Amino acid sequence: MVRGRICGLSVRDVRFPTSLGGHGSDAMHTDPNYSAAYVILETDAGDGLKGYGITFTLGRGTEVVVCAVNALAHHVLSKDLRDIVGDFRGFYRQLTSDGQLRWIGPEKGAVHLATAAVLNAVWDLWAKQEGKDPRTLLSCIDFRYITDVLTEEEAFEILQKGQVGKKEREEQMLMHGYPAYTTSCAWLGYSDDTLKQLCTEALKDGWTRFKVKVGADLQDDIRRCRLIRDMIGPEKILMMDANQRWDVPEAVEWMSKLAEFKPLWIEEPTSPDDILGHATISKALVPLGIGVATGEQCHNRVIFKQLLQVKALQFLQIDSCRLGSVNENLSVLLMAKKFEIPVCPHAGGVGLCELVQHLIIFDFISVSASLKNRMCEYVDHLHEHFRYPVIIKKASYMPPKDAGYSTEMKTDSVQKHQYPDGDVWKKLLAAQGN
Amino acid sequence: MVRGRICGLSVRDVRFPTSLGGHGSDAMHTDPNYSAAYVILETDAGDGLKGYGITFTLGRGTEVVVCAVNALAHHVLSKDLRDIVGDFRGFYRQLTSDGQLRWIGPEKGAVHLATAAVLNAVWDLWAKQEGKDPRTLLSCIDFRYITDVLTEEEAFEILQKGQVGKKEREEQMLMHGYPAYTTSCAWLGYSDDTLKQLCTEALKDGWTRFKVKVGADLQDDIRRCRLIRDMIGPEKILMMDANQRWDVPEAVEWMSKLAEFKPLWIEEPTSPDDILGHATISKALVPLGIGVATGEQCHNRVIFKQLLQVKALQFLQIDSCRLGSVNENLSVLLMAKKFEIPVCPHAGGVGLCELVQHLIIFDFISVSASLKNRMCEYVDHLHEHFRYPVIIKKASYMPPKDAGYSTEMKTDSVQKHQYPDGDVWKKLLAAQGN
């Protein structure tokens, strides 16, 4: 039973100084401090349940997203949760189409990240209260701007078909989990020695799919890719990630030189806005056995729609915190199914693994019904700050069993890492001041 | 001579309560309060010159852009202006590719609007100090992500060709100005009586090109368009603007029903992110004599590149405050020239006319060398708050004669309209509280 009026919304700027160890570094983001704008919703229901929502950021700029969350707060406060989820499509549109605020988006940038954080909290709260059927899920999707490729009726048919064999797939997930790949071994800022050591450990832990960051220097890339391919052998899967470093012709040229290392995909070869550019790159690289993957910085369903329309990608990477929460991610999962493109979510960051596991396991059970060419990113850090961290067994995500969206952080972690006044930052900033 | 170290950056949230009169209302923005994040740069040069920069907003959310400007400030403060403009491309990239901050863009949303405000201030300051030649201009452009359609050498050739006949075009501008059209007569929130009255006045003032807002209700649109077409007669030019209200099939259907009123273009028929959608709409409407125009919410050069690549528009509408200042606008003017698509800038808002007149007159004198199918939007409000307001004569923009980017607002206007503590807002907010 849905219950309660939203009587409190708080948002905090939580940052982890990951740049100190080179974790998360790539060709475009050399010193990220993995961070989050962290939203907590409270209700007057008296049941003690809260809704926790995050969106992921890289450090500087988190305060801008926090500011954007506060700009959205008036749409949420004093609302009855029943009214919100009873017309979730309408509520989604209220947030994304606020007649003044949409100018600073629309549906992109800081305000869309803030929308994700707020709605992730709503989903967390709602999920703790009750289950959802296909019609309810569809009623959460804003089909504006995508009806030319997916209507509500088509979406319903996909979900109806997804009911067949659902029980077996649920059991399969409970038994074996959802296959994952690791990005933790080969950040661009790691030395070759660190890379070797981490690779050895990952192989020992049963990992069979590895991603390496590339794009800053070709000779470095060749050396690092050779090193990893030699370590993992010819059978295991290798992916590459350029984090938008290249122009279109450059991407094709560069990847032609890395083709010998047999990457399954090249991720983010160029601007996330360049739909036609990705199509050109795909066309050139698919004959070399290399697919194109993108999505972690694709800002909304309209961009994904077009990437699918022009066959610009072979692997689609949703992000639980950049798209407008479950609502918009559902629309992308359904479009991907229609175009028969496998979804391989972006994860890592702060809490992205915790959130996206729900989406991708749902995708397998109720939408795609397939594991072919599918896997979910995994990065082995910052999980200790979450109250319900992901569980990885034999390189697979085991389905979460607690109600909610796994978004709650530990109170102590939040306090210590709050920027700039948590203990961790007070010390670091004082040290920088010296 | 370029001189001075940036020793101060301040930013203010300035809002005008335009929603009270229905000014600026359209199918998606029913109650805009035209606003600006207003940046002032000071140097230690001792010459009294300051750089003023704005970006336009619609009210709520301005505080988010202000926050984003502050997040960029450390890139600007203590920099020598010579170093900034001496490697303006590098400086542009420093702002747009900050390894942490770019996550909340990249090059879109609040952080890109903030980039525009900051860089507009740099251009204002620089323009007060010295002139620029073609090579200098090119050195300001970040060609990243657009080299597949425009290289620096091609851009140089375009500017070289633009030297031919330049003197004559300058004289033509000084004599006759740049042709404008008016949007002031037909906001969606105006009654038919207001519309008639404003149209009568505009005709009397010599206006020959008119834009009407459409998209909320078809029968209303038919009535309003008929009314305007009857008033202005068959020869004068009428444009329509849907402000992103429609899905792709809906846009085609709706406009087919308004074709009888002979619009030159339909502006923003659908999502500003939907490149392929605009192409589909163009293909359907061009045979009916209706072009597609878009751009005021196209967030960067990568989107414009693709709109040009797939012939998605017949009129390209740059925005002086959404793209990354003059730097990014230059790249779009040059691409438009290469594809032979006329640029008809978006203006109005707060200060957009003041800024964009510089860009479009430059486009005519040095890039396009043509007025065919070209005109610049004009909206008749809020100019009184600027120290160097635009001058309109016979429905044309007369070239600005003061040095700088015409971005400076009157101190008194800023103080009164600062949100939420300026006098205007203190009164309004107190009244709302009662």
Side-chain angles (χ1 to χ4, degrees):
Chain A
M1 247 291 286
V2 186
R3 60 192 174 269
R5 185 176 293 274
I6 310 290
C7 62
L9 182 157
S10 68
V11 53
R12 299 170 85 169
D13 179 337
V14 184
R15 307 190 190 188
F16 300 93
T18 45
S19 64
L20 299 177
H23 315 305
S25 57
D26 63 52
M28 293 290 271
H29 314 87
T30 49
D31 65 341
N33 286 327
Y34 278 14
S35 306
Y38 181 53
V39 173
I40 304 180
L41 295 179
E42 296 187 60
T43 78
D44 63 4
D47 55 9
L49 294 180
K50 295 183 187 179
Y52 300 89
I54 64 165
T55 193
F56 171 57
T57 49
L58 295 187
R60 285 189 295 280
T62 311
E63 76 279 16
V64 180
V65 181
V66 164
C67 186
V69 167
N70 285 320
L72 287 169
H74 68 284
H75 289 294
V76 186
L77 284 167
S78 305
K79 286 267 160 63
D80 197 299
L81 188 61
R82 257 171 310 208
D83 295 335
I84 290 177
V85 303
D87 177 22
F88 212 159
R89 180 181 300 163
F91 183 71
Y92 181 88
R93 196 175 279 190
Q94 193 183 330
L95 263 64
T96 57
S97 296
D98 176 308
Q100 295 188 3
L101 207 47
R102 79 186 294 281
W103 186 264
I104 74 165
E107 298 186 79
K108 60 178 68 73
V111 73
H112 209 50
L113 294 169
T115 299
V118 169
L119 292 179
N120 282 340
V122 171
W123 277 92
D124 181 51
L125 186 58
W126 189 23
K128 287 170 180 163
Q129 295 185 351
E130 65 167 14
K132 282 112 207 111
D133 63 26
R135 275 288 175 207
T136 308
L137 289 176
L138 289 181
S139 77
C140 301
I141 299 175
D142 188 351
F143 285 88
R144 174 174 268 175
Y145 303 141
I146 59 171
T147 57
D148 51 335
V149 311
L150 187 78
T151 62
E152 186 166 355
E153 273 319 297
E154 285 177 287
F156 183 67
E157 278 166 35
I158 291 173
L159 288 180
Q160 281 294 93
K161 278 189 199 150
Q163 299 289 313
V164 181
K166 192 173 161 186
K167 191 84 204 125
E168 291 74 14
R169 291 193 294 277
E170 277 174 4
E171 280 162 17
Q172 185 185 342
M173 284 293 105
L174 286 169
M175 185 83 80
H176 304 290
Y178 196 94
Y181 73 86
T182 178
T183 307
S184 299
C185 301
W187 295 109
L188 205 66
Y190 284 178
S191 69
D192 287 4
D193 280 346
T194 304
L195 200 151
K196 271 188 233 173
Q197 184 203 327
L198 291 173
C199 235
T200 308
E201 285 169 22
L203 286 164
K204 212 182 301 171
D205 290 342
W207 291 94
T208 59
R209 309 174 185 90
F210 299 80
K211 193 162 82 185
V212 55
K213 297 285 180 179
V214 298
D217 180 278
L218 182 60
Q219 293 313 316
D220 271 356
D221 288 351
I222 291 174
R223 194 189 71 252
R224 290 158 53 84
C225 290
R226 175 164 296 134
L227 194 157
I228 296 185
R229 181 49 91 191
D230 284 350
M231 288 197 71
I232 68 175
E235 297 306 320
K236 294 200 174 59
I237 294 173
L238 182 64
M239 284 85 70
M240 299 182 184
D241 187 355
N243 292 88
Q244 313 166 25
R245 182 59 182 259
W246 303 314
D247 281 20
V248 174
E250 197 180 7
V252 173
E253 201 185 337
W254 198 299
M255 282 312 298
S256 305
K257 290 178 181 143
L258 297 180
E260 62 171 304
F261 306 110
K262 305 284 177 206
L264 177 67
W265 75 52
I266 175 63
E267 181 172 331
E268 290 203 304
T270 190
S271 163
D273 299 330
D274 198 347
I275 296 146
L276 301 173
H278 280 86
T280 302
I281 296 167
S282 278
K283 213 171 164 183
L285 295 183
V286 167
L288 304 180
I290 307 171
V292 166
T294 195
E296 74 184 59
Q297 291 198 26
C298 289
H299 52 269
N300 62 33
R301 66 195 176 283
V302 183
I303 299 294
F304 279 112
K305 176 184 81 167
Q306 295 172 86
L307 287 165
L308 291 166
Q309 283 177 300
V310 293
K311 300 184 178 36
L313 38 66
Q314 285 65 51
F315 303 91
L316 185 152
Q317 303 177 303
I318 55 168
D319 183 292
S320 57
C321 292
R322 185 173 292 276
L323 291 181
S325 189
V326 181
N327 313 64
E328 195 168 27
N329 269 294
L330 284 174
S331 71
V332 177
L333 293 180
L334 290 162
M335 286 194 289
K337 169 66 180 174
K338 181 169 170 183
F339 285 88
E340 294 293 351
I341 291 292
V343 175
C344 300
H346 170 240
V350 176
L352 298 183
C353 300
E354 277 68 22
L355 275 72
V356 91
Q357 62 177 337
H358 293 266
L359 299 175
I360 197 60
I361 292 174
F362 167 79
D363 183 58
F364 173 65
I365 292 176
S366 300
V367 182
S368 76
S370 165
L371 291 179
K372 194 182 167 199
N373 270 330
R374 287 167 169 88
M375 52 190 149
C376 186
E377 184 167 21
Y378 178 70
V379 180
D380 185 22
H381 62 196
L382 305 177
H383 304 289
E384 66 275 21
H385 301 294
F386 284 80
R387 186 149 168 213
Y388 308 102
V390 288
I391 296 167
I392 299 288
K393 279 191 188 159
K394 295 189 187 158
S396 295
Y397 279 88
M398 300 312 292
K401 287 180 181 160
D402 299 289
Y405 202 8
S406 310
T407 33
E408 185 177 353
M409 294 175 82
K410 290 179 185 164
T411 310
D412 183 53
S413 290
V414 173
Q415 269 168 6
K416 274 192 192 144
H417 293 89
Q418 185 152 311
Y419 188 89
D421 53 339
D423 281 352
V424 168
W425 288 105
K426 267 200 276 193
K427 272 184 211 158
L428 276 169
L429 295 170
Q432 282 170 19
N434 292 337
Chain B
M1 245 292 285
V2 187
R3 60 193 173 268
R5 186 177 291 274
I6 310 291
C7 62
L9 181 156
S10 68
V11 53
R12 298 171 87 170
D13 180 337
V14 184
R15 308 191 190 187
F16 300 93
T18 46
S19 65
L20 300 178
H23 314 307
S25 56
D26 63 49
M28 294 290 271
H29 314 87
T30 49
D31 65 340
N33 286 327
Y34 277 16
S35 306
Y38 181 54
V39 172
I40 304 178
L41 295 179
E42 296 187 60
T43 78
D44 63 3
D47 55 10
L49 295 180
K50 294 183 188 179
Y52 300 89
I54 64 164
T55 193
F56 170 55
T57 48
L58 294 188
R60 285 188 295 280
T62 312
E63 76 280 16
V64 180
V65 181
V66 164
C67 185
V69 168
N70 284 321
L72 288 169
H74 68 284
H75 289 294
V76 186
L77 285 167
S78 304
K79 286 268 158 62
D80 198 300
L81 187 61
R82 258 172 310 211
D83 296 335
I84 290 177
V85 304
D87 177 23
F88 212 160
R89 181 181 300 163
F91 183 70
Y92 181 89
R93 196 175 280 192
Q94 193 184 332
L95 264 63
T96 56
S97 296
D98 175 308
Q100 295 188 3
L101 208 47
R102 77 186 294 281
W103 186 263
I104 72 165
E107 297 186 83
K108 61 179 66 72
V111 74
H112 208 49
L113 294 169
T115 299
V118 169
L119 292 178
N120 282 340
V122 171
W123 277 93
D124 181 52
L125 186 58
W126 189 21
K128 287 168 180 165
Q129 295 185 350
E130 65 168 14
K132 281 112 209 111
D133 63 26
R135 276 288 176 206
T136 308
L137 288 176
L138 288 181
S139 78
C140 301
I141 297 176
D142 187 351
F143 286 88
R144 174 173 269 174
Y145 303 141
I146 59 170
T147 57
D148 50 335
V149 310
L150 187 78
T151 63
E152 186 165 356
E153 273 320 296
E154 285 177 286
F156 183 68
E157 279 166 34
I158 291 172
L159 287 179
Q160 282 295 92
K161 279 190 197 149
Q163 300 290 314
V164 182
K166 192 173 161 183
K167 191 89 204 120
E168 291 74 13
R169 291 193 293 276
E170 276 173 5
E171 281 161 16
Q172 185 184 340
M173 285 292 106
L174 287 168
M175 185 82 79
H176 304 290
Y178 195 93
Y181 72 86
T182 178
T183 307
S184 299
C185 301
W187 296 109
L188 205 64
Y190 284 178
S191 69
D192 287 4
D193 280 347
T194 303
L195 199 151
K196 270 189 232 173
Q197 183 204 326
L198 291 172
C199 233
T200 307
E201 286 169 20
L203 285 164
K204 213 182 299 173
D205 290 344
W207 290 92
T208 59
R209 308 173 186 89
F210 298 81
K211 194 163 80 185
V212 55
K213 297 285 180 178
V214 298
D217 180 279
L218 181 60
Q219 292 314 315
D220 270 356
D221 288 352
I222 290 174
R223 194 189 71 252
R224 289 157 53 86
C225 290
R226 175 164 295 134
L227 192 158
I228 296 185
R229 183 48 90 191
D230 284 351
M231 288 197 70
I232 67 177
E235 296 306 320
K236 295 201 172 59
I237 294 173
L238 181 65
M239 285 84 71
M240 298 181 185
D241 186 355
N243 292 88
Q244 313 166 25
R245 181 61 182 258
W246 303 314
D247 282 21
V248 174
E250 196 181 7
V252 173
E253 201 185 338
W254 198 299
M255 282 312 297
S256 305
K257 291 180 180 141
L258 298 180
E260 62 172 305
F261 306 109
K262 305 281 176 209
L264 178 67
W265 75 51
I266 175 63
E267 181 171 331
E268 291 203 302
T270 190
S271 163
D273 299 330
D274 199 348
I275 295 146
L276 301 173
H278 280 87
T280 302
I281 296 167
S282 279
K283 213 171 165 185
L285 295 184
V286 166
L288 304 181
I290 307 170
V292 167
T294 194
E296 73 183 61
Q297 291 198 27
C298 288
H299 53 269
N300 63 32
R301 66 195 176 284
V302 183
I303 299 293
F304 279 112
K305 177 184 80 166
Q306 297 173 83
L307 287 166
L308 291 166
Q309 283 178 299
V310 293
K311 302 183 177 32
L313 38 65
Q314 284 66 51
F315 303 91
L316 186 153
Q317 303 177 301
I318 56 169
D319 182 292
S320 57
C321 292
R322 184 173 294 277
L323 291 182
S325 189
V326 181
N327 312 64
E328 195 168 26
N329 270 293
L330 283 174
S331 70
V332 177
L333 293 180
L334 290 161
M335 287 192 288
K337 170 66 181 172
K338 179 167 172 186
F339 285 88
E340 296 292 353
I341 292 292
V343 175
C344 300
H346 171 240
V350 176
L352 299 183
C353 300
E354 276 69 20
L355 275 72
V356 91
Q357 63 178 338
H358 294 266
L359 299 175
I360 198 61
I361 292 173
F362 167 80
D363 182 60
F364 173 65
I365 292 175
S366 299
V367 183
S368 77
S370 165
L371 291 180
K372 192 182 167 199
N373 270 330
R374 287 166 169 90
M375 51 188 151
C376 186
E377 185 168 20
Y378 178 70
V379 180
D380 184 22
H381 62 196
L382 306 176
H383 303 289
E384 66 275 23
H385 301 295
F386 284 80
R387 188 151 167 209
Y388 308 103
V390 289
I391 295 167
I392 300 288
K393 278 190 190 160
K394 294 188 187 160
S396 294
Y397 278 88
M398 300 312 292
K401 286 178 181 164
D402 299 290
Y405 202 7
S406 310
T407 32
E408 186 177 353
M409 295 175 81
K410 292 180 184 164
T411 309
D412 183 52
S413 290
V414 173
Q415 270 168 4
K416 274 192 192 144
H417 294 90
Q418 184 152 312
Y419 188 88
D421 52 338
D423 281 352
V424 168
W425 286 106
K426 266 200 273 190
K427 271 185 213 159
L428 275 169
L429 294 171
Q432 282 170 18
N434 292 335

